[in-house]
């Protein structure tokens, strides 16, 4: 009987893909859960559920299609939730997750995904995302004022690695931040536990204002900034996989896990590119092994979700703010470029950006919705005026 083994580059690519994903956005998810009023134990349960859901979906899709299909949580979606969930109860938060994931399933089943992306101008979707992410960039650099040594060291480490090995820049910032905080005695290790924490079921409550103000923008951000680039990355790597089944599977799994804290599961782009590159395997037909390895690492990370949450809680708040800001810097700059790249759409895009960034809330509906609404109206009026 022939033994089965995975080459070291394959295992390493799978491990690095998951590590980059967690290092880049686990801090943001932790902030979103805190904004919703979740306790440390509940947040640990959320991380467990997210890890298991991503592991199961990655393994299922990768093994079925024999293609390197990596799933992930929506980092921009988590950023939206940090502000959107302020003042909500946990049942209301779960209701938001269910509505957003149900919309994803609906658009996957009906094939409306591509149509929606054609209806909403890409510049406005990018401007909305940039408005959501702006506070993270501002927060990161304002943290230099309170803890210059820690945050300055993280920024310097990020800058150096960004120039020579961009893939590991965020990881370098995390490592340096943990080292500096440890030397300063700012790490609280009492919250770090190595035992698994099971997720707890939370019964949802639903609200129309929360659905319009948070769930719909979460749905749009997940589809436009995660699923669309994820599918594009997969196709650019030469893997022709049917899109609708990917959306349906990830959406259904997220919907099933929503009461346990899973706000989204989507097709990965940046981390997936690690498993889709020649560094993962020289043979394109065998790169799916790297994604399968990542799925196994996801399951392991889910099993130790409590430990990951403990690490997030152990680090100083200023360090976490700097880490989140640096992790989202590329997404923020890319979104601004896409938003302002088309001259005819620039005015509507900047209105979308400013309204979203302003934090405007009307009738209980949050700023992401109003930013998109204001930008959409401006886009239509300006377009009609130019035609006239």
């Amino acid at each position: 009987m022939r033994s089965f083994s995975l080459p070291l580059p394959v295992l390493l690519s799978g491990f690095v893909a998951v590590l980059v994903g967690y290092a880049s956005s686990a801090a943001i998810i932790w902030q979103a859960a805190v904004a919703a009023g979740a306790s440390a134990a509940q947040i640990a349960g959320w991380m467990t559920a997210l890890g298991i859901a991503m592991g199961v979906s990655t393994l299922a899709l990768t093994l079925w299609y024999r293609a390197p299909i990596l799933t992930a949580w929506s980092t921009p979606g988590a950023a939206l939730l940090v502000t959107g969930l302020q003042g909500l109860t946990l049942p209301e938060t779960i209701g938001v997750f269910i509505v957003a994931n149900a919309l994803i399933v609906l658009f996957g089943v009906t094939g409306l995904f591509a149509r929606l992306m054609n209806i909403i101008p890409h510049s406005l979707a990018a401007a909305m995302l940039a408005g959501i992410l702006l506070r993270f960039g501002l927060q990161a650099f304002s943290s230099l004022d309170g803890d210059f040594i820690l945050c300055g060291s993280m920024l310097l480490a990020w800058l150096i690695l960004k120039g020579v090995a961009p893939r590991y820049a965020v990881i370098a910032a995390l490592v340096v931040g943990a080292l500096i905080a440890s030397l300063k005695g700012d790490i609280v290790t009492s919250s770090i536990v190595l035992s698994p924490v099971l997720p707890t079921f939370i019964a949802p409550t639903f609200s129309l204002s929360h659905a319009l103000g948070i769930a719909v923008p979460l749905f749009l951000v997940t589809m436009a900034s995660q699923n669309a680039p994820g599918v594009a990355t997969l196709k650019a790597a030469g893997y022709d996989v049917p899109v609708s089944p990917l959306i349906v599977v990830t959406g259904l799994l997220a919907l099933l896990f929503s009461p346990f804290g899973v706000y989204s599961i989507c097709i990965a782009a940046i981390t997936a590119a690690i498993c889709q590159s020649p560094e993962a395997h020289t043979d394109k037909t065998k790169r799916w092994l790297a994604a399968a390895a990542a799925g196994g690492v996801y399951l392991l990370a889910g099993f130790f979700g409590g430990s990951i949450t403990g690490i997030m809680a152990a680090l100083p708040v200023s360090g976490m703010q700097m880490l989140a800001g640096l992790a989202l810097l590329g997404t923020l700059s890319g979104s601004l470029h896409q938003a302002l790249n088309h001259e005819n759409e620039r005015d509507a895009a900047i209105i979308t950006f400013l309204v979203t960034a302003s934090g405007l809330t009307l009738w209980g509906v949050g700023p992401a919705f109003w930013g998109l609404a204001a930008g959409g109206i401006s886009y239509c009026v300006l377009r009609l005026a130019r035609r006239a």
Side-chain angles (χ1 to χ4, degrees):
M1 185 176 177
R2 187 174 64 178
S3 61
F4 177 77
S5 62
L6 293 176
L8 182 60
V10 167
L11 289 171
L12 186 60
S13 294
F15 175 76
V16 169
V18 176
L19 181 61
V20 169
Y22 270 80
S24 300
S25 54
I28 303 165
I29 293 172
W30 182 77
Q31 291 182 50
V34 169
S39 65
Q42 288 170 326
I43 297 174
W46 287 20
M47 297 302 292
T48 298
L50 281 164
I52 292 173
M54 290 187 295
V56 169
S57 55
T58 294
L59 284 171
L61 293 171
T62 294
L63 295 176
W64 181 262
Y65 288 108
R66 285 296 195 270
I69 303 170
L70 204 69
T71 61
W73 50 47
S74 171
T75 301
L80 181 151
L81 294 175
V82 172
T83 53
L85 296 182
Q86 297 283 349
L88 268 67
T89 64
L90 281 177
E92 289 172 336
T93 297
I94 297 302
V96 167
F97 295 172
I98 290 175
V99 171
N101 289 323
L103 285 172
I104 291 174
V105 173
L106 175 64
F107 275 66
V109 170
T110 58
L112 290 172
F113 173 41
R115 298 178 198 172
L116 176 67
M117 293 301 102
N118 290 331
I119 292 172
I120 299 176
H122 187 66
S123 60
L124 300 194
M128 181 187 71
L129 179 57
I132 293 166
L133 300 181
L134 178 63
R135 69 181 296 268
F136 289 91
L138 296 175
Q139 210 172 49
F141 290 97
S142 65
S143 66
L144 287 166
D145 186 39
D147 201 335
F148 182 79
I149 295 176
L150 172 64
C151 297
S153 301
M154 294 174 68
L155 177 60
L156 181 61
W158 182 85
L159 282 171
I160 293 172
L161 266 292
K162 191 69 175 176
V164 297
R167 182 184 299 175
Y168 306 101
V170 174
I171 297 175
L174 173 62
V175 171
V176 169
L179 180 62
I180 297 296
S182 178
L183 292 174
K184 292 177 63 182
D186 292 339
I187 293 182
V188 183
T189 57
S190 58
S191 58
I192 300 178
V193 293
L194 296 178
S195 58
V197 178
L198 294 176
T200 56
F201 178 87
I202 300 174
T205 59
F206 300 96
S207 163
L208 180 60
S209 62
H210 296 154
L212 289 175
I214 309 171
V216 171
L218 174 60
F219 157 72
L220 292 173
V221 164
T222 299
M223 297 299 272
S225 65
Q226 289 283 166
N227 279 328
V231 170
T233 301
L234 191 64
K235 290 187 178 298
Y239 299 97
D240 190 17
V241 179
V243 175
S244 290
L246 302 184
I247 304 301
V248 172
V249 169
T250 52
L252 277 175
L253 199 59
L255 185 59
L256 179 66
F257 277 84
S258 289
F260 300 96
V262 172
Y263 68 96
S264 78
I265 298 294
C266 46
I267 307 301
I270 298 173
T271 52
I274 298 172
C275 296
Q276 295 163 1
S277 67
E279 287 78 11
H281 203 293
T282 54
D283 187 349
K284 175 186 167 184
T285 62
K286 294 184 179 179
R287 290 174 193 164
W288 64 270
L289 293 170
V297 177
Y298 268 142
L299 291 177
L300 189 62
F303 186 75
F304 290 104
S307 304
I308 295 171
T309 306
I311 293 171
M312 296 296 106
L315 294 174
V317 173
S318 58
M320 297 307 300
Q321 290 174 341
M322 175 58 75
L323 183 65
L326 293 175
L328 291 168
L329 203 58
T331 308
L332 173 58
S333 60
S335 298
L336 283 172
H337 173 74
Q338 294 170 35
L340 304 177
N341 196 35
H342 300 286
E343 185 176 354
N344 288 339
E345 301 173 5
R346 194 171 295 163
D347 291 328
I350 200 67
I351 289 173
T352 303
F353 170 72
L354 292 174
V355 173
T356 304
S358 72
L360 174 70
T361 300
L362 295 174
W363 303 295
V365 179
F369 174 84
W370 293 117
L372 198 59
I377 293 171
S378 303
Y379 176 86
C380 293
V381 170
L382 291 171
R383 190 174 182 180
L384 290 172
R386 289 191 188 99
R387 287 182 176 179

